[in-house]
Amino acid sequence: MRTSCTPCFAVPPQIPGRIGLSGTWARSALAGVLVAMLISNARADMGAASTGELKHMSVEQLMDIQVTSVARHPESLRQAAAAIQVITRDDIRRAGASSIPEALRLADNLEVARKNAHDWGISARGFNSYLANKLLVMIDGRTVYTPLFSGVFWDAQDYLLEDIDRIEIISGPGGTLWGANAVNGVINIITRSAADSQGLYAEGGGGTQLRGFAGARYGGMLAPDVSFRVYAKYFDRDAEALLDGTRAADAWHRAQGGFRFDSDASRPDTFSAHGDFYEAHEGLNTGGTAQSAGGNLVGRWSHVFTTEADFSLQSYYDRTHLLIPIVPFILNGIELAPAGFLRDDLSTYDIDFQHRFSLRQRHHIVWGAGYRFSHDVVANAPAIAFLPTVLDRNLFSAFVQDEIALSTTLSLTLGSKLEHNDYTGFEVEPNARLQWTWTPNQSLWSAISRAARTPSRIDRDLAEPAPPGILVLTGGRNYGSEYVIAYELGYRGQISSRMTGSLSTFYNEYRDVRSTSITPGAIIPIYFANNLAGHTDGLEVSARYQLADFWSLQVGYDFLQESLHVRPGQFDLGNARNETADPRHQVMVRSSLSLAAHLELDASLRWVDALRYPSGPTTCDVPSYFELDTRIGWVLKRLELALVGQNLLHAHHAEYGFADPAREHIERSVYGKISWRY
């Protein structure tokens, strides 16, 4: 999506939408699931959440939360040698979040900015540009970034938030275990098992911006050792505002449904299968409506030998279907290509094997291998094209990691990921981590990692406008991978019986970062190259204090410095200013009170420093701002009523984008919600 502040050749147009299947299937599925739930003979002992289940975790319980994203096997948060934060199911509920991006605001180690009603900019440790591509996101082990630009369509990622168990966020490279694009961070969204989500749950509500929403889930038993759940949800979100307060044209509605089956987790062999299906329509401020639809199927088999040895085999199929209105291509007042529609159909097949075992009680080894095949078919628009229009890609991978117990308090982790892709061939991503746990509740860790961001279709295959017109911007035929070497030092500990804290510092060296070059003697076509290098450094601080049994306070602070430059003897049209759009400082304060008469009061105050959004020869700023979100809830055994306010300090404000009249502002929002568990 272009704005008047953007040189048309400096940044490719944002791809804001998806394609839709017919609306009939989504509405029918939603109605069918709701009817089935309402006529079922739900039992009170099948998942009714007691008041106790919804109370805050103690400081000790928070440190003992099991995480899997750092070592690819369960370990307590206190043992994880990485800059990791965990957002729990209760954190999401008490924040009043209505979407996954809103829930991610709870992570102190992320940069989260809302662009409009349906698009978000989310990154870790910088590089949060329109084509942000250095953050790997997974939902139950399924990778959800798109090969179009190696980033995430956040509007396509959704779930019934009630059934999310936790979200694990690693800031820093995770390439050793997770591979390419886990350059600056990993987000792992983990949903609850069917056995943990039994009975009936229903929610609904509405308000100003979130005009209306409804969701329901029912879980039961198919056999003594097989549990299931089905769910459906729908929402309708109003458009945001422009600078003068008039409405933008980006209203959004979406329907989604899904299912999950799990076998008994107490047996050596466990099986699970789950899938999701969605459809959405998104208005665009540039005109027209983008449509999207898709679905996925995931199967997993796990076998446990002992507490220290197991293996798993997971496979998934993912399908996305996108239809995106593209504005005319205009250069210096001359229309080079008319408006049209870009259509993309992507099918992904993935299989992943992992084996974990111990050797001589000192070595804890995890290794695995995987294969991914993607089939991408594009119907080009006059103003933008991907060539070839049909592309098959193969990705082979293997990894090994060894956690070595050097002593009772000192451990060393060594590992590497090896990948082979069709663009650049082999990529090696090694990692070394050292952890010193001098008391059971406090530890220091350090790490050196190398990670790669492999090329996307925009980097290699873009043509703007589509041939046979005058070609202005193209992908780079020889565009290669971008690399980072990251140095990290961190602390995590239980400082007292009521306080936990973590501190992470980092220094990242980047090379071969994306640039735009001109054709010698002709200037156009401009093409993508790897002519940038530089570094970032900063720190992340997070602390949680239990002021009383009924009151907890969380504070977070992020500091980030970015320094990119054009490599000697090379050229970049944007002078190394196109890849970053990040605040230097962020401060977050969250308070959670559990009051008498089953009342809850939650508030989240954030301050975000001025966001430098550079492009081409100019730099456009988003001013620094304070913002406040609140929730008042009344929770009984099965019934919950809540009133949620978001962005309460401004009628509307900008969080992202260029400083021109077309930039969208995020409006103040208030909505009510009712939930029922049975």
Side-chain angles (χ1 to χ4, degrees):
M1 183 184 301
R2 297 188 187 90
T3 64
S4 59
C5 187
T6 316
C8 65
F9 47 77
V11 179
Q14 183 190 9
I15 303 176
R18 322 287 171 266
I19 187 165
L21 302 172
S22 109
T24 305
W25 75 268
R27 297 185 185 94
S28 299
L30 180 63
V33 171
L34 290 174
V35 170
M37 293 173 183
L38 292 174
I39 65 175
S40 297
N41 183 21
R43 298 178 183 271
D45 60 350
M46 293 175 63
S50 67
T51 305
E53 289 177 322
L54 300 179
K55 288 182 178 178
H56 288 293
M57 291 184 176
S58 67
V59 167
E60 292 80 4
Q61 289 172 323
L62 287 168
M63 293 293 289
D64 286 330
I65 289 176
Q66 296 291 294
V67 297
T68 58
S69 301
V70 176
R72 209 155 168 167
H73 64 77
E75 61 180 345
S76 68
L77 180 61
R78 72 178 78 236
Q79 295 174 314
I84 182 171
Q85 294 192 19
V86 179
I87 301 170
T88 68
R89 171 174 160 246
D90 194 52
D91 291 335
I92 297 172
R93 181 188 68 84
R94 296 203 59 156
S98 62
S99 67
I100 288 174
E102 287 180 5
L104 292 176
R105 283 203 192 274
L106 299 172
D108 298 333
N109 57 347
L110 287 179
E111 296 132 33
V112 180
R114 188 165 200 155
K115 301 175 182 178
N116 51 49
H118 42 71
D119 293 324
W120 297 74
I122 300 177
S123 187
R125 297 184 176 176
F127 292 89
N128 199 19
S129 66
Y130 264 114
L131 296 178
N133 52 25
K134 294 176 175 59
L135 184 67
L136 181 67
V137 181
M138 298 176 291
I139 301 177
D140 288 328
R142 175 176 58 89
T143 300
V144 298
Y145 75 87
T146 172
L148 280 179
F149 69 103
S150 294
V152 177
F153 287 128
W154 284 105
D155 52 329
Q157 317 310 325
D158 199 10
Y159 209 77
L160 188 66
L161 298 186
E162 168 70 13
D163 289 336
I164 291 179
D165 181 69
R166 66 188 185 277
I167 304 176
E168 301 175 5
I169 302 102
I170 299 174
S171 50
T176 300
L177 294 179
W178 304 112
N181 300 327
V183 174
N184 280 9
V186 176
I187 296 176
N188 194 3
I189 300 168
I190 301 165
T191 66
R192 294 197 291 167
S193 71
D196 291 334
S197 51
Q198 295 287 280
L200 175 64
Y201 171 81
E203 65 178 30
T208 55
Q209 291 303 105
L210 187 57
R211 293 184 292 198
F213 65 94
R217 175 258 292 152
Y218 179 73
M221 303 295 295
L222 293 178
D225 60 346
V226 179
S227 54
F228 78 93
R229 73 165 177 255
V230 290
Y231 80 92
K233 66 176 298 186
Y234 173 83
F235 65 79
D236 178 18
R237 185 175 288 275
D238 201 0
E240 297 296 342
L242 299 178
L243 176 62
D244 60 4
T246 59
R247 283 289 185 198
D250 60 344
W252 178 29
H253 62 269
R254 174 188 170 107
Q256 178 165 325
F259 67 91
R260 176 162 180 154
F261 299 93
D262 287 287
S263 64
D264 190 347
S266 66
R267 304 191 175 202
D269 289 280
T270 59
F271 302 88
S272 68
H274 52 91
D276 309 283
F277 313 93
Y278 68 89
E279 181 186 33
H281 293 77
E282 303 170 357
L284 303 181
N285 203 33
T286 52
T289 299
Q291 300 175 341
S292 66
N296 62 82
L297 294 171
V298 184
R300 184 180 180 89
W301 168 38
S302 301
H303 178 81
V304 176
F305 298 102
T306 67
T307 56
E308 298 293 332
D310 55 50
F311 75 77
S312 65
L313 181 66
Q314 176 174 288
S315 182
Y316 70 78
Y317 167 73
D318 189 283
R319 168 81 169 177
T320 59
H321 198 34
L322 322 177
L323 183 63
I324 309 164
I326 301 296
V327 299
F329 193 102
I330 300 175
L331 181 63
N332 295 328
I334 302 173
E335 182 177 298
L336 299 183
F341 288 88
L342 179 73
R343 179 171 177 163
D344 181 65
D345 296 278
L346 174 66
S347 296
T348 303
Y349 307 83
D350 185 279
I351 186 168
D352 183 83
F353 172 80
Q354 175 183 306
H355 180 211
R356 180 176 68 101
F357 64 94
S358 294
L359 187 64
R360 297 181 180 178
Q361 298 183 342
R362 296 177 64 88
H363 297 267
H364 301 277
I365 300 170
V366 57
W367 69 276
Y371 170 70
R372 182 178 303 157
F373 171 77
S374 62
H375 177 67
D376 192 27
V377 181
V378 178
N380 291 320
I384 184 172
F386 291 90
L387 302 172
T389 57
V390 179
L391 181 64
D392 294 336
R393 296 177 63 190
N394 299 276
L395 178 66
F396 300 88
S397 64
F399 75 92
V400 62
Q401 181 165 283
D402 185 7
E403 299 177 34
I404 308 166
L406 301 177
S407 69
T408 57
T409 61
L410 192 65
S411 64
L412 174 66
T413 300
L414 299 173
S416 184
K417 182 98 172 185
L418 177 66
E419 290 189 331
H420 184 276
N421 68 81
D422 292 339
Y423 280 140
T424 61
F426 285 101
E427 300 288 355
V428 181
E429 299 171 278
N431 170 70
R433 293 180 182 271
L434 185 66
Q435 183 171 30
W436 176 37
T437 306
W438 73 89
T439 73
N441 294 326
Q442 300 192 70
S443 64
L444 282 171
W445 59 269
S446 62
I448 302 176
S449 312
R450 180 182 188 268
R453 202 279 291 180
T454 55
S456 66
R457 292 212 68 181
I458 275 184
D459 300 319
R460 282 287 189 99
D461 305 331
L462 180 70
E464 205 181 346
I470 299 174
L471 197 57
V472 176
L473 175 65
T474 72
R477 180 176 301 178
N478 298 315
Y479 191 92
S481 295
E482 302 177 20
Y483 298 99
V484 63
I485 297 179
Y487 306 87
E488 299 177 88
L489 178 66
Y491 162 84
R492 180 181 297 107
Q494 182 177 330
I495 300 170
S496 71
S497 61
R498 289 187 173 271
M499 184 176 181
T500 63
S502 65
L503 168 66
S504 304
T505 62
F506 62 91
Y507 180 86
N508 293 349
E509 293 182 343
Y510 296 88
R511 67 178 177 87
D512 300 334
V513 177
R514 181 169 53 203
S515 62
T516 49
S517 292
I518 59 176
T519 300
I523 300 180
I524 61 172
I526 299 161
Y527 62 92
F528 289 128
N530 299 94
N531 292 339
L532 303 185
H535 70 271
T536 64
D537 61 86
L539 61 86
E540 301 156 347
V541 182
S542 182
R544 186 186 292 250
Y545 186 70
Q546 196 75 32
L547 285 83
D549 292 341
F550 58 89
W551 188 9
S552 70
L553 193 67
Q554 183 170 344
V555 179
Y557 169 69
D558 286 359
F559 172 73
L560 171 68
Q561 292 188 122
E562 296 173 293
S563 178
L564 289 182
H565 62 268
V566 183
R567 292 161 52 193
Q570 304 298 322
F571 175 80
D572 176 45
L573 193 63
N575 196 25
R577 295 182 298 187
N578 275 347
E579 292 298 301
T580 58
D582 310 285
R584 175 168 287 194
H585 305 275
Q586 290 188 112
V587 180
M588 292 74 70
V589 180
R590 285 178 287 278
S591 170
S592 293
L593 275 164
S594 298
L595 305 173
H598 307 286
L599 289 176
E600 297 175 335
L601 178 60
D602 298 87
S604 177
L605 178 68
R606 65 184 183 275
W607 177 73
V608 181
D609 199 3
L611 188 152
R612 302 286 193 264
Y613 193 90
S615 183
T618 62
T619 297
C620 308
D621 291 346
V622 176
S624 64
Y625 65 89
F626 279 97
E627 202 48 273
L628 175 69
D629 300 337
T630 63
R631 172 186 168 275
I632 301 173
W634 182 54
V635 182
L636 294 177
K637 186 171 185 179
R638 296 187 176 91
L639 178 67
E640 178 179 344
L641 302 175
L643 180 65
V644 178
Q646 297 174 326
N647 303 313
L648 296 179
L649 300 184
H650 302 87
H652 56 81
H653 74 282
E655 295 186 4
Y656 200 89
F658 298 104
D660 67 12
R663 179 170 67 186
E664 294 194 35
H665 286 222
I666 309 306
E667 291 201 310
R668 178 184 294 127
S669 174
V670 177
Y671 73 86
K673 177 180 178 180
I674 181 170
S675 306
W676 177 262
R677 299 172 177 86
Y678 191 75

